[in-house]
Amino acid sequence: MIAVYRRDDLPRGMRQVTLALWHVADPGNVGTLLRSADAFGAGVALSPGCADLGGPKALRASMGAVFRVPVSGFDAPPSRRVALVAHGGTPLPQLELDGDVVFVLGAERDGLPREILERCDAQASIPQGGEAESLNVAMAGTVALYELARRA
């Protein structure tokens, strides 16, 4: 099957809940995060250095969400920013998450640089009971969106 679309026709804009991705270069993770955003009614904000949404792996991983989820630039959403960090943040279930929120996620290998963390209003970590060092970025974003939806 072949599809033809105009990149300019992809949804642009913001929603009350956003996943802001900092240098997430793996197209599978970007596509999966688009799919999760679609499932939970969120938007996605991309920094320079993120994988191309129109690439074959990102398109496949998004399962069509790329045609439904509004995308903006990384700094565009004006809402409260919560950095998701592997360790040392407030446990996500204990964090106040009222109103609009932007979950900020970094590339798996490098995480979020200090200058991005300093621009966030809070840092949160997802409590884990196993021996894993951390979650995959796509899984962390999905868990954060679920936690917010669970409270509604």
Side-chain angles (χ1 to χ4, degrees):
M1 184 178 297
I2 295 176
V4 178
Y5 65 94
R6 290 174 29 103
R7 185 177 287 270
D8 290 343
D9 290 339
L10 294 176
R12 300 281 179 225
M14 293 171 274
R15 290 187 173 158
Q16 290 178 305
V17 177
T18 302
L19 295 175
L21 313 183
W22 179 260
H23 292 234
V24 177
D26 182 290
N29 285 333
V30 170
T32 299
L33 285 162
L34 276 164
R35 188 175 179 186
S36 293
D38 191 27
F40 291 102
V44 172
L46 301 172
S47 75
C50 281
D52 178 15
L53 294 175
K57 191 172 179 184
L59 283 172
R60 193 169 40 254
S62 83
M63 298 296 290
V66 70
F67 301 108
R68 295 182 296 275
V69 174
V71 176
S72 65
F74 182 79
D75 291 318
S79 308
R80 177 176 181 229
R81 290 185 170 250
V82 176
L84 291 178
V85 296
H87 306 286
T90 301
L92 187 59
Q94 296 174 16
L95 190 67
E96 286 282 330
L97 291 173
D98 296 332
D100 297 357
V101 65
V102 176
F103 289 112
V104 181
L105 298 106
E108 284 184 43
R109 197 168 291 154
D110 300 324
L112 293 167
R114 187 176 57 203
E115 63 269 14
I116 297 300
L117 290 171
E118 289 172 353
R119 291 171 36 197
C120 292
D121 302 296
Q123 293 182 27
S125 296
I126 297 168
Q128 300 172 61
E131 295 183 30
E133 177 64 25
S134 65
L135 294 173
N136 162 288
V137 66
M139 294 303 101
T142 303
V143 168
L145 291 175
Y146 174 78
E147 174 64 21
L148 191 61
R150 182 185 72 77
R151 295 180 186 193

